[in-house]
Amino acid sequence: MSDDVFLRVNDVSKWYGDEQVLDEVSFEMDRSDVTVLIGPSGSGKSTMLRCVNRLAEAQEGSITLDGEEVLSPDTDVDRLRREVGMVFQSFNLFAHLSALGNVALGPRRVLGLSAAEARERATSQLERVGLADQLESYPAELSGGQQQRVGIARALAMEPKLMLFDEPTSALDPELIGEVLEVMRALVDEGMTMLVVTHEMSFARAVADEVVFLDDGRVVERGPPEQLFERPEKERTGRFLERIASHD
Amino acid sequence: MAGATRPRTVGERVADTDPSVGRILLVAAGALFWGWLVVSWVNRWLGGVIAPVGEPLVAPDAVEGALAAVPGLAAVAPDVAFVVGLTPTLAQGTWLTVVITGASLVCGFFIAVPLAVARVYGRFSAWLSLGYTELLRGTPLLAQLFVLYYGLNLAASVPAALSGVFPRDVVWVAILGFTLNGAAYQAEYIRGAVESVDEGQITAGRAIGLSKLESIYYVVLPQALRYAIPSWTNEFVYLIKYSSLAGFITVPELYYLANRVATETFRYTTVFLVLGAMYLALVLTASKFMERVDDRVAIPGLGADRER
């Protein structure tokens, strides 16, 4: 397989016990692409995302990232994760560290920067997500939207070549969703390669290069957002989109 | 507010009756207690520059004479004089009690943390840790001390470098015993706290490329050890009192010396009342100190709910 494709997910399957959660999932991304995974809860979106940085282990299929085989037993998982940023639905900020401490931990302890360098990098990443005035605040002192922006800054501080977003706005009050999406849009504009699981269809429509609809662990349909949202080929996709729209 | 859900200590309740007066009384009592102890210890180390070694800082006869002159206090004057006469012995015993408790607590902590981590995150090591903890918690501490002292006769094999540091080498055996036993209890408190740290914390650590051990070290333990402080303080307090069991393997600590005086003088009530007051003062100091530590390291924004 000649590969100028940046991320290739090929026939990935995964089971939890007897239950199959991913069934031969395939899609590709080029550098600077934004791919959005959508689908009902339990469809395997988050699991698929976690297989890319091996927080979950796929049992079959292959994933190549920038020419490297992700699922190989020889893969250095810690190095892989250094290069792939992840943003969580529940933020998962380190509760005992300030915003600055959260963002600086990776550069300091994983990349081996000096304390001063790590601090400097963390400061600039927090400025990037609009939190220059909250450097010393602790997670419990921040709003959900601010916490999630710290989460994004924490991932960005590792200078990842791919960012994974696992329902980054699902735990937020509606009025706080905007500030997080705004930061994500800015990243898109900067050319970040992003794989996003979300229910924010307007975000998907606006920034995605490709939308992948998963149901029951299977790719039902994939395509550019205008096609998938306006003229879905599969009846299942249409039904899902209608249901989402009626809740919007 | 910090501490809102914690059972309140005697100190807090005293302080609540009248915040200013209660606090002043408590601080004054603490200052008097520790001042007396430190002056007594220094006097002993310096070979009796303040008072002859083994003699009280204040002469018992003088105290008795002074009290006898006060109407209403004359009746207790002999008892007070007797207690004053005991003070050098009490100070000497308290020194060992403090050293044994402190050393065992610190050494035990460094065993307890790996035990707790192994229990939560290990596979084979979890079973080892469980076995150790259950064995040490499930058998009498006194029996453990007897095995170390009488059974294995460890006092005879104290390394040359450590031998002679204390008046008797058996002190090392006591420290070893309390370390091994206390580690099991401390591990239980710390394990509970480690388990209470959200799983997402370690996932987030792994996601930025920290190894599992690094995630535990940099992310889980700094939180867990904070959460563990209130319950861990129990072990601190217990250990102060359990250290009296060292007397049963001939360590001349506070209980041992007081008991000897009691059997020699038959003044059991007076001696053991004073002994109780000594332990109470030590325990109050420990719990007050740990409260301070707890407030000091509290994570901003997390109030009482941090004491899970």
Side-chain angles (χ1 to χ4, degrees):
Chain A
M1 226 180 317
S2 84
D3 245 330
D4 6 322
V5 174
F6 180 64
L7 175 72
R8 183 189 298 279
V9 174
N10 194 26
D11 284 346
V12 165
S13 296
K14 176 172 177 59
W15 290 261
Y16 285 122
D18 287 339
E19 198 194 334
Q20 186 162 15
V21 287
L22 293 175
D23 186 358
E24 301 191 341
V25 174
S26 299
F27 61 91
E28 302 87 40
M29 294 175 69
D30 285 330
R31 217 176 277 274
S32 292
D33 268 2
V34 177
T35 296
V36 172
L37 300 180
I38 62 171
S41 56
S43 59
K45 313 178 296 278
S46 291
T47 306
M48 182 59 246
L49 203 66
R50 280 158 189 260
C51 286
V52 175
N53 69 350
R54 302 257 311 251
L55 283 179
E57 294 290 352
Q59 280 121 353
E60 281 179 15
S62 72
I63 299 176
T64 46
L65 175 65
D66 207 7
E68 282 182 75
E69 185 50 62
V70 169
L71 302 184
S72 154
D74 303 330
T75 303
D76 179 348
V77 178
D78 291 335
R79 209 202 65 190
L80 167 75
R81 290 175 185 156
R82 230 173 286 166
E83 297 173 347
V84 179
M86 183 154 198
V87 175
F88 301 91
Q89 176 176 357
S90 48
F91 325 136
N92 292 354
L93 293 188
F94 304 132
H96 64 301
L97 294 176
S98 65
L100 199 64
N102 264 275
V103 183
L105 184 68
R108 177 92 182 94
R109 301 297 172 191
V110 179
L111 302 181
L113 269 55
S114 73
E117 289 167 329
R119 200 184 157 84
E120 197 178 315
R121 184 183 286 200
T123 307
S124 66
Q125 292 305 332
L126 284 165
E127 282 166 1
R128 189 173 172 188
V129 298
L131 290 173
D133 55 340
Q134 300 286 354
L135 300 182
E136 302 299 337
S137 299
Y138 283 74
E141 301 173 314
L142 296 170
S143 73
Q146 289 171 326
Q147 288 189 57
Q148 191 57 297
R149 286 188 282 153
V150 174
I152 294 173
R154 177 173 68 181
L156 291 176
M158 302 298 289
E159 300 184 336
K161 51 188 184 186
L162 170 68
M163 283 282 283
L164 307 174
F165 291 86
D166 188 5
E167 303 203 31
T169 58
S170 296
L172 294 176
D173 290 337
E175 75 270 20
L176 299 177
I177 290 175
E179 62 190 74
V180 171
L181 292 182
E182 197 181 315
V183 168
M184 290 172 66
R185 281 208 180 87
L187 285 181
V188 174
D189 293 341
E190 289 170 29
M192 178 62 76
T193 313
M194 296 163 56
L195 181 55
V196 184
V197 171
T198 187
H199 293 295
E200 292 296 321
M201 295 304 156
S202 54
F203 175 79
R205 200 184 289 255
V207 305
D209 295 290
E210 183 171 67
V211 177
V212 179
F213 175 53
L214 279 173
D215 189 22
D216 222 4
R218 234 164 296 171
V219 176
V220 175
E221 184 170 357
R222 48 187 268 227
E226 53 277 14
Q227 179 203 315
L228 196 118
F229 287 128
E230 307 302 337
R231 304 176 298 280
E233 286 169 5
K234 297 284 179 6
E235 189 243 341
R236 179 77 192 85
T237 315
R239 261 193 293 143
F240 173 73
L241 292 171
E242 263 169 42
R243 222 179 46 230
I244 288 277
S246 67
H247 284 289
D248 259 357
Chain B
M1 216 200 80
T5 58
R6 178 175 45 210
R8 290 164 351 122
T9 63
V10 173
E12 277 168 346
R13 266 172 266 155
V14 169
D16 278 357
T17 50
D18 183 332
S20 53
V21 175
R23 175 160 304 166
I24 289 166
L25 280 178
L26 202 67
V27 169
L32 190 68
F33 177 72
W34 285 102
W36 158 65
L37 276 179
V38 170
V39 169
S40 303
W41 294 340
V42 169
N43 182 53
R44 193 177 182 83
W45 296 328
L46 297 181
V49 289
I50 302 161
V53 172
E55 296 290 323
L57 299 174
V58 190
D61 291 348
V63 174
E64 186 166 5
L67 284 178
V70 181
L73 288 181
V76 295
D79 279 323
V80 174
F82 171 68
V83 172
V84 171
L86 279 185
T87 51
T89 310
L90 294 173
Q92 197 189 333
T94 307
W95 169 248
L96 269 189
T97 293
V98 168
V99 167
I100 290 172
T101 304
S104 309
L105 197 71
V106 171
C107 296
F109 176 78
F110 286 104
I111 300 176
V113 171
L115 279 176
V117 168
R119 258 307 274 294
V120 179
Y121 296 107
R123 290 193 193 94
F124 178 64
S125 60
W127 288 101
L128 275 183
S129 169
L130 178 68
Y132 177 88
T133 311
E134 292 306 315
L135 181 69
L136 273 286
R137 294 199 316 151
T139 55
L141 175 52
L142 193 55
Q144 293 165 17
L145 291 175
F146 279 4
V147 166
L148 295 178
Y149 179 63
Y150 294 114
L152 301 175
N153 193 23
L154 288 183
S157 41
V158 170
L162 301 178
S163 185
V165 173
F166 296 115
R168 292 181 198 169
D169 280 348
V170 66
V171 172
W172 288 110
V173 180
I175 290 176
L176 178 68
F178 293 130
T179 295
L180 295 178
N181 181 273
Y185 283 93
Q186 291 190 47
E188 277 300 288
Y189 291 123
I190 297 170
R191 174 182 69 93
V194 167
E195 280 171 348
S196 79
V197 174
D198 186 65
E199 209 182 321
Q201 295 285 310
I202 209 166
T203 310
R206 304 303 310 270
I208 57 170
L210 291 172
S211 69
K212 189 170 173 181
L213 270 180
E214 287 170 333
S215 301
I216 293 168
Y217 185 78
Y218 291 117
V219 178
V220 175
L221 284 179
Q223 296 178 44
L225 294 180
R226 284 173 163 96
Y227 300 149
I229 290 172
S231 56
W232 182 87
T233 302
N234 283 327
E235 176 54 20
F236 191 172
V237 164
Y238 277 126
L239 193 55
I240 292 171
K241 294 175 291 172
Y242 280 144
S243 71
S244 61
L245 291 180
F248 290 85
I249 57 168
T250 74
V251 173
E253 45 68 66
L254 185 54
Y255 173 82
Y256 179 89
L257 293 183
N259 186 49
R260 200 172 61 189
V261 172
T263 39
E264 282 167 0
T265 61
F266 290 103
R267 298 173 84 155
Y268 285 96
T269 309
T270 313
V271 169
F272 282 105
L273 274 178
V274 171
L275 180 67
M278 299 285 298
Y279 279 108
L280 182 63
L282 292 176
V283 164
L284 279 180
T285 305
S287 61
K288 275 279 155 202
F289 174 74
M290 290 313 297
E291 251 175 56
R292 279 286 184 84
V293 172
D294 194 25
D295 287 344
R296 192 68 187 270
V297 301
I299 299 167
L302 292 181
D305 63 324
R306 76 175 183 271
E307 289 157 15
R308 281 177 282 185

